[in-house]
Amino acid sequence: PEEVAEIYGEKPRKLDVMIPTENIEEFFPQWYKRYGSSAGLLCKGNGKVATAMMDAGGMGEVECHGRECTFYQEKACKQIGNLQIILPKVKGLGVYQIDTSSWNSIVNINSGLKMVKGMLGRMSWIPLVLEVKMQEAHPTVNGKKIKTIVPVMSVTSDISVCDLLKMRLPARQAEIVNSGVDDKPDLLFPGKDGS
């Protein structure tokens, strides 16, 4: 978009981003999807259950085999992640979406977000960086594993770990439970005579 190109140029390799919510299913849904050339979406699954076009027409629920599915192995189905992000340096309140069918990008983004959440107790509204770097991959082509270098996205931070840790959620107050103490001390609940 024009407003993004104004800040980052036409083909940025690095974006300052923030995640808008803690629910990964809302901001980074990941599905196995199969499309037809004229029929549009034929199947959408999560690795366990899918909604698929039935032979009789209409959509129905079927078992999803994920990477073990014949359609996936024949490259007719792809795992797709739809990453929705806030670009804090871009004017406006827009949410932008970047789609990827790169297994390596999906793994890297999930791992980066899991690390942030593990360190800080949250991942939303933390200044992060979405970056594309060249990474070694080992796809199988014609039954043989090959080594190749491919562009892959990852979520990182330009902030030091010490500064990131300052954004950590405060520790929850411990609840003190002492069964040997009266819950209603006399000083707080005066007797009938006002004492």
Side-chain angles (χ1 to χ4, degrees):
E2 189 176 306
E3 68 275 15
V4 177
E6 282 180 25
I7 306 292
Y8 293 102
E10 287 297 319
K11 294 184 179 180
R13 312 256 321 156
K14 192 173 181 180
L15 296 171
D16 300 288
V17 301
M18 290 182 161
I19 303 302
T21 174
E22 290 299 310
N23 185 345
I24 197 163
E25 292 175 7
E26 288 177 356
F27 72 84
F28 192 33
Q30 300 159 46
W31 300 96
Y32 291 95
K33 291 183 179 180
R34 180 169 55 96
Y35 290 91
S37 57
S38 61
L41 184 65
L42 296 176
C43 186
K44 175 181 172 182
N46 62 10
K48 295 177 183 168
V49 178
T51 303
M53 182 66 71
M54 306 306 281
D55 290 337
M59 301 296 276
E61 193 172 285
V62 297
E63 190 175 350
C64 177
H65 298 283
R67 294 177 157 285
E68 303 303 315
C69 175
T70 306
F71 291 109
Y72 184 88
Q73 293 175 355
E74 293 173 353
K75 301 191 184 318
C77 171
K78 291 183 178 182
Q79 186 177 14
I80 298 175
N82 309 112
L83 181 62
Q84 297 173 15
I85 51 176
I86 303 288
L87 301 175
K89 292 185 178 179
V90 174
K91 291 180 183 176
L93 298 173
V95 175
Y96 297 86
Q97 180 169 308
I98 298 175
D99 301 327
T100 181
S101 61
S102 162
W103 181 83
N104 290 303
S105 291
I106 292 170
V107 168
N108 286 356
I109 292 168
N110 283 326
S111 298
L113 293 172
K114 186 176 181 180
M115 177 178 266
V116 169
K117 181 134 186 171
M119 282 181 9
L120 307 180
R122 66 188 176 109
M123 58 189 146
S124 62
W125 304 110
I126 302 291
L128 299 170
V129 174
L130 180 66
E131 189 169 9
V132 175
K133 292 183 179 177
M134 299 308 285
Q135 178 178 311
E136 187 175 302
H138 301 273
T140 303
V141 178
N142 297 328
K144 294 181 184 178
K145 280 207 178 237
I146 62 166
K147 178 180 162 183
T148 185
I149 306 295
V150 294
V152 176
M153 288 189 291
S154 62
V155 172
T156 60
S157 175
D158 280 345
I159 301 173
S160 72
V161 171
C162 291
D163 288 338
L164 270 176
L165 289 174
K166 291 175 186 173
M167 296 178 200
R168 186 181 335 177
L169 287 175
R172 294 181 65 187
Q173 291 283 341
E175 187 176 323
I176 299 172
V177 178
N178 187 343
S179 60
V181 176
D182 186 358
D183 286 342
K184 299 178 184 176
D186 293 333
L187 293 175
L188 296 176
F189 299 90
K192 291 181 184 177
D193 60 2
S195 60

